[in-house]
Amino acid sequence: MKKTKTYPEEVYWNDTWVRPEEAFVSVFDRSFMFGDGIYEVTPFYAGKPFMLKEHVARVKYCLQEMNIVFDTSILEDLMLEAVNRSSFSEEDAAVYLQISRGTAPRSHFIPEKVQPSLLLYAFKVDLANFENRYWKVMASEDLRWHRCDIKSTALLANTLANEAAISAGYDENLLFRNGFFTEGSHTTIFFVVEGTVYTHPEGRQILSGITRKVVLDLCQQLSIPVKEEAFPVDGLASVEEIFLTGTTTQIAPVSSVTIDGKGLFSAQKGKITTRLQEEFLRRTRG
């Protein structure tokens, strides 16, 4: 189901805080023309950031991969300031930031000496009761570009995949390439088979999820065996549990998977998903 979004109270645009209607981007900004930029979303639980340094580290990695020179040392303080300035500084929230390569005459090659632009703002998000929500998902072919490890603003393929799911009454679209699952349109996928957790290995086919890292750490803490390898679509019949992770998704159990109108997986939340959710709650709310 589609949910109505509202604009933030204010945004940080390059070097000042302004109201959204006062922030303007040039038509020659490369994020507008090419999707030439990166973004990040960082969660705040009751006003406190979670995995803040890890989120900033991912920003730095993406900038390096795209050869955008930007001083990331300012980001942590700005994200904290964004939440503290908001009307929900002690509630659950998240901070969105976007860094564009900047404004320059249009060219397919990357211009020299372009000044990057920064957009950053806090927004309220409901992070409670994720453990009680069950996701009904579909799956389809992964048509995205081959650098999914970069959190690029060029998200057309992701948004089309997500729209296909939402408009058909599903919560998410799981993507597969060459017969193997990669990730969801905006989530990481985990499968449980005979007590072992499977998830796609890091690399260019998936985003290096921060919540993914937390789950892998929890599995080690709980002595749950893990295999980081691509899981085959035709292996769904052997799957006992599926759960999805993401910054605002957190750890969400999947109740059903449909491909081409055929239901290929159906289950209730299993014990491994439950244990991971319990430990995740301790980390985020403890």
Side-chain angles (χ1 to χ4, degrees), residues 6-272:
T6 59
Y7 292 109
E9 300 167 354
E10 62 178 353
V11 302
Y12 184 86
W13 174 237
N14 286 333
D15 59 1
T16 186
W17 292 97
V18 297
R19 295 191 61 79
E21 60 269 21
E22 299 172 333
F24 296 95
V25 179
S26 168
V27 295
F28 290 102
D29 188 281
R30 290 181 63 87
S31 63
F32 173 73
M33 287 197 156
F34 298 103
D36 189 359
I38 63 98
Y39 76 100
E40 186 62 58
V41 180
T42 303
F44 281 67
Y45 289 84
K48 298 180 180 179
F50 182 63
M51 304 292 283
L52 179 59
K53 293 187 182 300
E54 288 79 2
H55 280 278
V56 173
R58 185 165 64 180
V59 170
K60 187 174 182 179
Y61 167 80
C62 293
L63 291 170
Q64 290 174 339
E65 292 299 297
M66 292 183 64
N67 196 26
I68 296 176
V69 179
F70 184 87
D71 180 13
T72 57
S73 66
I74 67 172
L75 296 179
E76 288 191 29
D77 287 342
L78 281 174
M79 285 193 274
L80 293 170
E81 182 180 357
V83 172
N84 289 333
R85 291 172 64 99
S86 73
S87 60
F88 38 83
S89 59
E90 296 182 358
E91 303 175 39
D92 289 350
V95 173
Y96 176 88
L97 70 85
Q98 176 175 314
I99 300 171
S100 165
R101 191 179 301 277
T103 301
R106 189 182 188 278
S107 65
H108 278 71
F109 64 84
I110 297 176
E112 296 180 350
K113 299 180 181 179
V114 180
Q115 180 65 36
S117 59
L118 169 65
L119 169 67
L120 183 149
Y121 61 84
F123 62 99
K124 196 175 186 313
V125 62
D126 184 8
L127 297 173
N129 298 316
F130 70 90
E131 68 277 14
N132 297 318
R133 180 188 174 191
Y134 294 82
W135 287 44
K136 182 177 69 172
V137 307
M138 61 176 283
S140 62
E141 185 179 357
D142 192 342
L143 300 176
R144 301 170 301 162
W145 73 320
H146 290 265
R147 287 306 308 270
C148 300
D149 57 315
I150 298 175
K151 203 169 177 65
S152 166
T153 56
L155 284 171
L156 178 60
N158 295 70
T159 57
L160 288 177
N162 191 251
E163 173 61 21
I166 300 302
S167 62
Y170 298 98
D171 299 303
E172 172 63 306
N173 196 341
L174 309 188
L175 307 176
F176 54 83
R177 185 173 292 178
N178 299 322
F180 290 87
F181 287 103
T182 49
E183 59 186 347
S185 69
H186 63 101
T187 56
T188 301
I189 317 170
F190 289 83
F191 304 89
V192 179
V193 180
E194 296 182 352
T196 297
V197 173
Y198 291 77
T199 193
H200 199 288
E202 293 212 358
R204 294 186 173 185
Q205 290 189 334
I206 69 163
L207 179 70
S208 179
I210 304 302
T211 310
R212 175 187 184 277
K213 296 179 187 296
V214 175
V215 166
L216 293 179
D217 184 52
L218 291 177
C219 285
Q220 183 177 25
Q221 173 188 321
L222 298 170
S223 299
I224 298 172
V226 173
K227 289 188 177 180
E228 293 185 65
E229 57 184 57
F231 196 83
V233 175
D234 61 13
L236 278 177
S238 64
V239 172
E240 299 156 2
E241 304 173 44
I242 300 175
F243 61 89
L244 309 178
T245 65
T247 296
T248 56
T249 303
Q250 300 168 94
I251 303 176
V254 171
S255 60
S256 65
V257 179
T258 301
I259 302 179
D260 294 331
K262 299 178 180 179
L264 300 180
F265 171 84
S266 179
Q268 295 300 309
K269 182 168 63 174
K271 62 180 182 180
I272 287 181

